[in-house]
Amino acid sequence: MLEDMSKAHLFPVNASTIETARKITKSIYNHLSVLNLMRREYTNGRELIQPAITRFATNFISLQCLFKYRKELRQMFTSTAWVESNASSTPAGIEITEIILNNTFWKDVEHILKVSEALVVVLRLADSEEKPAMGYVYEAMDRANEVIQKRFKNKDYELYWKIIDCRWENQLHSALHAATYYLNPSFVFSPTFSKHSEVMRDSRFGFGSTAAIRNREKMSPDKWWDRFGNGIHELKKLAIRIFSQCISASGCVRNWSIFKHIHSPKRNRLVHQRLNDLVLVHYNLKLRERDMLKRTGNAASDPISLENINILVG
């Protein structure tokens, strides 16, 4: 979706804006003195480039960072330190200064962020390894579409919706997404969910207990079903199985990097099973380290937070 939104033949202004933003970051990071000036005086050590899951996500996250520090960048490129630097008088320096001070450029960046920010949140959710995200992706995409619509005063969002729907229907949407949305207790029992008689009937019995209601949004869906789904064993078994599904290939990509690390020229005679066993050990050690961080309270905040999408509405 993000790739489509940066294609020149579909969104020429978006493509041009992204390329211009890359010029800015490239110019800053290619000059150590300019980079040090930015880090020391204007961004408190924060970076404008943050590697992401995909190249296209990186482009949009960099746009977020640029827009966040737009005032600081304007101050920097009009400061005495910049004007007196050797880089400011070069053709590239002059061009970047004009771009930074150009209001049209920042309006174009803001336009792109109206669409991309919600999708980047969904991408981060799907890439989470903290707990299964399968039960949340359907609702997350719905909320992302709502955010995109609310952020546009006219019907400009419709073209973006077409891009999203095309990728969603042809590549991403599956019966599992719909099923986990339907079976997720934090959604199915909410006032905004479409009421179905069989769901409400279950809610009056075991699912309607005080403990079940209290934990609908606190527990992950698979654990909730494991604890409160004893009255309907077959549905419980199905729910736990589908909520535990992986929705992103990022974990596999990380495993391939472990393969590459282990299968070096010095150890290229490892038999296949031995290689698999070593990768399993490495990955389990990472899981153990993450579990220890949770126990000590040093783990990152819950990545499955759809409220982050709602916050984007401006």
Side-chain angles (χ1 to χ4, degrees):
M1 295 174 191
L2 294 172
E3 178 183 358
D4 289 342
M5 292 174 187
S6 61
K7 289 181 177 177
H9 68 282
L10 294 175
F11 300 95
V13 176
N14 288 1
S16 175
T17 303
I18 291 172
E19 187 58 35
T20 301
R22 292 177 66 182
K23 281 185 180 180
I24 295 174
T25 54
K26 184 177 179 180
S27 179
I28 292 174
Y29 280 82
N30 279 352
H31 294 85
L32 185 59
S33 59
V34 178
L35 180 59
N36 289 336
L37 174 65
M38 180 195 75
R39 288 171 173 169
R40 184 179 65 252
E41 303 292 339
Y42 297 97
T43 64
N44 293 322
R46 301 291 180 87
E47 303 293 340
L48 300 179
I49 300 177
Q50 297 182 11
I53 304 164
T54 69
R55 175 167 59 91
F56 301 101
T58 300
N59 289 337
F60 288 98
I61 292 174
S62 294
L63 284 179
Q64 290 177 339
C65 294
L66 280 173
F67 193 74
K68 178 180 179 180
Y69 292 110
R70 63 190 183 281
K71 293 181 181 179
E72 288 80 1
L73 288 172
R74 283 171 171 166
Q75 293 172 1
M76 172 178 153
F77 281 89
T78 55
S79 66
T80 302
W82 166 252
V83 172
E84 293 179 351
S85 68
N86 294 330
S88 66
S89 59
T90 64
I94 295 171
E95 181 185 13
I96 298 303
T97 302
E98 292 176 351
I99 293 171
I100 293 293
L101 301 179
N102 189 337
N103 288 330
T104 301
F105 167 73
W106 294 113
K107 288 180 179 178
D108 291 338
V109 171
E110 186 177 16
H111 172 89
I112 296 174
L113 294 181
K114 286 181 179 179
V115 182
S116 65
E117 281 184 338
L119 294 178
V120 169
V121 171
V122 178
L123 183 61
R124 284 172 169 162
L125 181 151
D127 187 52
S128 167
E129 289 188 341
E130 295 300 314
K131 64 181 182 181
M134 175 61 79
Y136 299 88
V137 67
Y138 193 99
E139 175 74 2
M141 284 303 305
D142 276 351
R143 292 197 187 186
N145 277 329
E146 291 175 5
V147 166
I148 292 169
Q149 182 182 18
K150 289 178 180 178
R151 284 190 149 196
F152 286 96
K153 296 180 180 179
N154 48 36
K155 292 189 175 182
D156 287 348
Y157 66 88
E158 291 182 347
L159 185 54
Y160 290 106
W161 269 16
K162 289 180 181 179
I163 294 294
I164 293 171
D165 288 343
C166 181
R167 292 288 186 179
W168 177 251
E169 294 296 334
N170 295 335
Q171 291 181 272
L172 301 174
H173 180 51
S174 72
L176 282 177
H177 295 141
T180 50
Y181 171 68
Y182 186 84
L183 294 173
N184 192 328
S186 64
F187 301 142
V188 73
F189 296 125
S190 71
T192 58
F193 192 88
S194 179
K195 303 301 181 185
H196 296 276
S197 59
E198 65 273 17
V199 175
M200 297 308 296
R201 191 162 54 243
D202 288 332
S203 181
R204 296 191 192 101
F205 295 99
F207 296 162
S209 67
T210 302
I213 293 173
R214 185 173 60 249
N215 288 285
R216 283 173 183 171
E217 297 186 12
K218 293 181 179 179
M219 298 177 67
S220 62
D222 56 327
K223 292 181 180 179
W224 188 90
W225 274 94
D226 185 46
R227 181 173 177 182
F228 301 109
N230 294 324
I232 39 179
H233 295 285
E234 291 301 320
L235 186 57
K236 170 186 173 179
K237 183 178 178 181
L238 172 65
I240 293 174
R241 179 169 295 182
I242 62 177
F243 277 121
S244 301
Q245 294 293 313
C246 176
I247 62 171
S248 171
S250 299
C252 298
V253 173
R254 295 185 184 101
N255 268 354
W256 277 114
S257 66
I258 297 175
F259 267 108
K260 185 178 179 180
H261 174 72
I262 294 174
H263 197 266
S264 64
K266 294 182 180 180
R267 289 175 282 186
N268 60 4
R269 294 184 180 180
L270 289 172
V271 296
H272 190 265
Q273 187 57 49
R274 178 69 170 170
L275 191 61
N276 283 340
D277 291 343
L278 286 172
V279 171
L280 179 65
V281 169
H282 274 262
Y283 200 75
N284 282 340
L285 285 172
K286 288 187 176 181
L287 292 176
R288 182 186 178 189
E289 181 181 2
R290 189 177 67 194
D291 185 63
M292 292 175 65
L293 288 174
K294 285 182 180 179
R295 294 175 185 275
T296 58
N298 295 323
S301 59
D302 186 2
I304 311 298
S305 176
L306 299 187
E307 298 307 315
N308 289 338
I309 298 178
N310 292 341
I311 292 173
L312 295 174
V313 181

